[in-house]
């Protein structure tokens, strides 16, 4: 992966980050915006610190796969990552703070896209709506 600084006149060695396998999905960790989450074809999810441009952590989240349609879909919201895995027709929830899969949901179809929303207040504040 290559980090590009718009104000820089050239790339340096420090701008190049080598991961153990080819990348196939990206998401920003939205709760603080300092980490880039990268899914690689060896089945690992990597958390990359954007300030230091270093891998903070890596964990296996699926079997190795080919990055071809249908490919996994990766999204992040509220300290969690959601990953739709076509090979197993499921959706997993990963707690980024605890570093593990917290939930697996069987799917009846393979999603091509995914959008997540986090409600800013608890639903109890909105009664029956």
């Amino acid at each position: 992966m290559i980090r590009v600084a718009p104000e820089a006149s050239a790339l340096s060695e420090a701008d190049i980050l080598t991961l153990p396998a080819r990348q196939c999905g990206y998401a920003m960790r939205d709760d603080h915006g300092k980490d880039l989450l990268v899914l690689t074809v060896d089945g690992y999810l990597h958390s990359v610190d954007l300030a230091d441009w270093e891998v903070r952590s890596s964990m296996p989240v699926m079997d190795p796969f080919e990055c071809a349609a249908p490919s996994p879909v990766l999204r992040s919201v509220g300290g969690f990552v959601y990953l739709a895995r076509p090979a197993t027709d499921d959706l997993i929830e990963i707690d980024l703070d605890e570093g593990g899969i917290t939930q697996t949901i069987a799917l009846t179809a393979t999603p091509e896209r995914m959008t997540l929303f986090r409600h800013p207040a608890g639903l109890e504040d909105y009664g029956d709506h």
Side-chain angles (χ1 to χ4, degrees):
M1 293 184 2
I2 298 174
R3 172 178 58 182
V4 177
E7 70 280 354
S9 61
L11 292 175
S12 72
E13 285 284 324
D15 293 321
I16 300 170
L17 178 63
T18 302
L19 293 173
R22 190 168 50 95
Q23 305 91 37
C24 189
Y26 305 89
M28 291 297 296
R29 182 173 175 170
D30 73 335
D31 58 346
H32 60 71
K34 296 180 182 175
D35 292 354
L36 174 65
L37 305 168
V38 182
L39 180 65
T40 52
V41 297
D42 59 357
Y44 277 74
L45 180 67
H46 308 275
S47 178
V48 177
D49 183 299
L50 292 176
D52 296 338
W53 201 234
E54 293 180 357
V55 175
R56 240 183 242 255
S57 63
S58 299
M59 67 177 287
V61 293
M62 61 190 295
D63 290 335
F65 63 97
E66 293 295 323
C67 192
S71 61
V73 179
L74 180 69
R75 297 292 180 266
S76 175
V77 67
F80 291 89
V81 170
Y82 296 89
L83 175 62
R85 305 182 299 184
T88 51
D89 284 327
D90 63 8
L91 174 77
I92 59 172
E93 176 186 74
I94 303 162
D95 185 327
L96 292 172
D97 296 324
E98 298 296 321
I101 297 172
T102 55
Q103 191 173 178
T104 302
I105 301 166
L107 300 175
T108 57
T110 301
E112 292 180 21
R113 293 179 177 81
M114 180 172 30
T115 301
L116 302 175
F117 297 95
R118 180 175 61 178
H119 200 282
L123 294 178
E124 64 275 358
D125 295 338
Y126 291 91
D128 293 338
H129 298 33

